[in-house]
């Protein structure tokens, strides 16, 4: 509910394996050199890896295609092709990865350095050395490399706010957020303005950035479930720094310092640990007539209150979000604090959204399917069959014969016969056609 989803779909394609080679030794004084074609190298995998420095999926907005390199082809003299390097793609911690077509979960990436293989490179094709046998000492057979996996995956990040804006309704939190970030919250001047936390990405001049949430106006008693209830307070549990926004104009007839105490009491009664987070007091609406005077009084009370153990280290920034006054200084101080404050434990059990998880698995691949074209050609398809087809080198008759044996071994002949194929019918796999011979 109070989560902000950053979501992007990317295309990944692992490298194809290198092709095997058909070659023979030609050595002086050796009348019939044996086979000498090497294997192809394996294609590169595509692997997601967690980088704790990333906070959002912004980088994927501009780059959505990831290709890994193919393996090197096999060479003569029995030399194998070199395997390709894997391609690593950095994602932020907390990224959930799904198969975009089926919606099935492939994995959750949580900790720095954790890796997830999302597309496997093809294995290299075998060279003709591998096919030599006493019956056929000089085979003209080599395989092509296996194609690499290709798929669409969806990355989803539940963005948690680094910084939470708290304060009474209508103290100007939404306005601050709209000024400093790209978020455009609906702004109105009534209590309970924000019903769902608005989030914005805030980036400051030096390139650092953080996520800021405008947390709905807390009213006294929210922690007991009165008013907007606790799901909003839950978002605050995740923030590292709290910006406590106070309306210094006193225009609603309330005392700013009383407001400050009331909200802190609210945070405390919900969860003691909320008060452990560093707070910055943001004195807003400083463009109003009585604001300067009110700020002086506020600071006196704040710093005079010696039994408030937090008071000595609470910075106060005077701003006006309408005239942009004081915002740069506030944001620099905020981002410094975010970087030096450790993360608070993220999940308490209640706020862990329950999701039944079906992890992806590879079912026994259906070996093949048979359909019939309009021109009455039989069409063979299926993942395993198409892979065999792509790995067959049709330049050599022996390779073609081997392919014929493989598909016979899969039972395709019988299946075609059972469907009514007769001698001389045309059969097609992808763009390759042949005659059915009964």
């Amino acid at each position: 509910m109070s989560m902000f989803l950053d979501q992007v779909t990317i295309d990944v394609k692992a490298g194809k394996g290198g092709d095997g080679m058909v070659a023979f030794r030609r050595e002086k004084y050796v009348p019939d050199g044996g086979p000498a074609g090497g294997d192809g190298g394996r294609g590169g995998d595509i692997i997601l890896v967690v980088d704790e420095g990333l906070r959002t999926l912004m980088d994927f907005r501009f780059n959505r295609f990831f290709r890994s390199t193919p393996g090197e082809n096999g060479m003569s003299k029995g030399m194998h092709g070199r395997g390709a390097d894997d391609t690593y793609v950095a994602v932020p911690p907390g990224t959930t990865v799904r198969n975009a077509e089926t919606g099935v979960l492939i994995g959750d990436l949580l900790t720095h350095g954790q890796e997830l293989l999302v597309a496997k490179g093809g294995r290299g094709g075998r060279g003709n050395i591998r096919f030599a046998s006493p019956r056929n000492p000089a085979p003209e057979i080599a395989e092509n490399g296996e194609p690499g996996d290709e798929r669409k995956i969806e990355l989803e990040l539940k963005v948690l706010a680094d910084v939470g804006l708290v304060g009474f309704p209508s103290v100007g939190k939404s306005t601050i957020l709209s000024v400093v970030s790209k978020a455009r919250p609906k702004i109105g001047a009534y209590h309970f303005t924000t019903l769902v936390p608005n989030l914005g990405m805030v980036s400051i001049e030096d390139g650092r950035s953080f996520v800021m949430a405008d947390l709905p106006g807390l009213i006294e008693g929210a922690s007991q479930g009165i008013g907007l209830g606790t799901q909003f307070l839950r978002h605050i549990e995740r923030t590292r720094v709290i910006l406590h926004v106070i309306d210094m104009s006193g225009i609603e007839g309330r005392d700013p310092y009383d407001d400050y105490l009331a909200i802190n009491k609210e945070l405390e009664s919900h969860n003691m640990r909320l008060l452990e987070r560093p707070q910055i007091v943001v004195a807003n609406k400083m463009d109003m007539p009585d604001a300067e005077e009110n700020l002086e009084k506020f600071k006196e009370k704040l710093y005079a209150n010696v039994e408030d153990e937090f008071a000595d280290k609470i910075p106060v920034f005077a701003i006006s979000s309408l005239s942009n006054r004081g915002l740069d200084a506030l944001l620099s101080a905020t981002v410094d604090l975010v970087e030096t404050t450790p993360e608070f434990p993220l999940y308490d059990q209640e706020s862990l959204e329950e999701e039944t998880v079906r992890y992806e698995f590879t079912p026994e691949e259906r070996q093949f399917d048979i359909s019939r074209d309009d021109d009455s050609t039989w069409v063979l398809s299926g993942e395993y069959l198409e892979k065999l087809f792509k790995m067959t080198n049709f330049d050599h008759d022996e390779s073609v014969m081997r392919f014929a044996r493989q598909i016979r071994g899969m039972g395709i002949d019988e299946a075609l016969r059972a469907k009514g194929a007769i001698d001389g019918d045309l059969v097609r796999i992808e763009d390759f056609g042949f005659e059915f011979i009964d």
Side-chain angles (χ1 to χ4, degrees):
M1 155 108 206
S2 55
M3 292 274 237
F4 170 63
L5 274 191
D6 200 1
Q7 201 178 38
V8 64
T9 301
I10 61 173
D11 286 285
V12 292
K13 184 176 183 182
K16 153 189 184 314
D19 296 341
M21 170 105 182
V22 171
F24 295 95
R25 288 203 303 272
R26 295 279 172 265
E27 291 176 36
K28 223 170 163 188
Y29 313 123
V30 179
D32 295 314
D39 300 348
R42 84 179 175 85
D45 297 338
I46 295 190
I47 296 171
L48 303 183
V49 59
V50 178
D51 175 353
E52 62 193 1
L54 295 176
R55 310 288 297 166
T56 67
L57 297 174
M58 288 300 248
D59 297 356
F60 293 100
R61 295 278 177 269
F62 311 108
N63 183 8
R64 289 171 183 240
F65 293 94
F66 295 89
R67 302 275 176 269
S68 202
T69 39
E72 206 173 56
N73 291 339
M75 291 161 286
S76 53
K77 298 194 178 155
M79 290 197 295
H80 297 325
R82 182 183 290 118
D85 290 338
D86 296 331
T87 299
Y88 287 89
V89 179
V91 297
T95 303
T96 301
V97 187
R98 293 177 182 283
N99 179 324
E101 267 109 24
T102 62
V104 173
L105 193 66
I106 301 171
D108 289 304
L109 290 163
L110 302 169
T111 51
H112 183 66
Q114 189 181 343
E115 294 182 3
L116 177 68
L117 173 71
V118 289
K120 189 153 184 49
R123 68 178 176 82
R126 292 174 294 180
N128 68 339
I129 291 184
R130 303 281 187 188
F131 294 101
S133 65
R135 253 200 7 247
N136 185 359
E140 287 207 13
I141 301 182
E143 285 174 327
N144 291 341
E146 179 183 32
D149 291 343
E150 191 172 354
R151 65 204 322 191
K152 271 191 182 345
I153 58 175
E154 187 179 82
L155 305 179
E156 204 176 78
L157 178 66
K158 294 188 166 94
V159 178
L160 305 175
D162 301 305
V163 175
L165 294 166
V166 302
F168 271 86
S170 69
V171 293
K173 300 190 298 295
S174 297
T175 313
I176 292 175
L177 182 67
S178 66
V179 172
V180 299
S181 82
K182 306 273 183 294
R184 289 283 167 267
K186 300 184 189 63
I187 297 166
Y190 39 89
H191 294 257
F192 315 128
T193 339
T194 311
L195 292 177
V196 178
N198 284 301
L199 283 102
M201 308 275 178
V202 180
S203 31
I204 64 172
E205 311 241 293
D206 62 13
R208 292 182 295 171
S209 63
F210 58 89
V211 180
M212 182 190 270
D214 158 22
L215 301 157
L218 296 173
I219 49 169
E220 293 191 49
S223 59
Q224 278 97 62
I226 308 167
L228 296 179
T230 56
Q231 68 268 47
F232 302 114
L233 290 167
R234 194 170 281 164
H235 212 300
I236 309 176
E237 288 179 353
R238 315 197 162 189
T239 53
R240 301 191 194 199
V241 173
I242 289 182
L243 295 189
H244 194 138
V245 186
I246 294 176
D247 174 356
M248 277 299 157
S249 66
I251 204 151
E252 303 223 348
R254 297 200 309 263
D255 176 318
Y257 186 67
D258 290 347
D259 281 4
Y260 169 76
L261 293 180
I263 293 284
N264 270 353
K265 194 163 179 44
E266 197 46 67
L267 295 181
E268 179 178 44
S269 62
H270 174 64
N271 176 345
M272 293 299 295
R273 301 204 52 196
L274 290 179
L275 287 181
E276 294 171 22
R277 288 162 180 59
Q279 268 196 25
I280 293 180
V281 170
V282 180
N284 194 16
K285 307 196 184 179
M286 291 304 293
D287 44 353
M288 301 295 265
D290 301 334
E292 288 294 342
E293 194 183 324
N294 287 343
L295 179 61
E296 286 312 304
K297 286 186 199 152
F298 176 84
K299 282 183 167 170
E300 268 171 37
K301 287 182 185 167
L302 180 67
Y303 297 132
N305 191 355
V306 183
E307 62 267 29
D308 185 345
E309 54 182 309
F310 302 104
D312 57 337
K313 43 184 184 247
I314 294 181
V316 177
F317 282 81
I319 68 158
S320 160
S321 50
L322 291 180
S323 59
N324 266 354
R325 167 186 156 194
L327 282 175
D328 289 346
L330 170 65
L331 293 181
S332 309
T334 304
V335 78
D336 288 345
L337 250 184
V338 167
E339 292 188 342
T340 53
T341 306
E343 282 196 29
F344 286 80
L346 201 56
Y347 291 116
D348 59 346
Q349 270 329 98
E350 304 145 70
S351 68
L352 202 55
E353 265 99 84
E354 290 298 315
E355 184 187 2
T356 42
V357 171
R358 285 195 315 153
Y359 280 96
E360 186 166 76
F361 56 92
T362 36
E364 279 306 300
E365 288 147 340
R366 270 285 296 282
Q367 298 248 307
F368 58 87
D369 286 300
I370 299 178
S371 56
R372 198 148 196 198
D373 245 357
D374 302 338
D375 62 1
S376 76
T377 305
W378 298 96
V379 182
L380 302 178
S381 58
E383 204 174 325
Y384 179 70
L385 178 67
E386 283 161 21
K387 203 174 263 188
L388 275 185
F389 170 73
K390 285 181 180 148
M391 292 177 71
T392 300
N393 181 336
F394 286 95
D395 300 340
H396 296 283
D397 290 344
E398 282 189 36
S399 294
V400 178
M401 297 298 289
R402 175 168 177 267
F403 179 63
R405 287 196 304 275
Q406 285 171 319
I407 63 176
R408 190 167 304 126
M410 286 167 67
I412 288 179
D413 284 14
E414 288 113 81
L416 279 167
R417 207 170 290 121
K419 290 219 182 244
I422 52 170
D423 212 17
D425 277 2
L426 279 178
V427 181
R428 186 164 62 76
I429 300 175
E430 293 198 346
D431 49 7
F432 176 74
F434 55 91
E435 275 187 12
F436 179 65
I437 297 171
D438 205 354

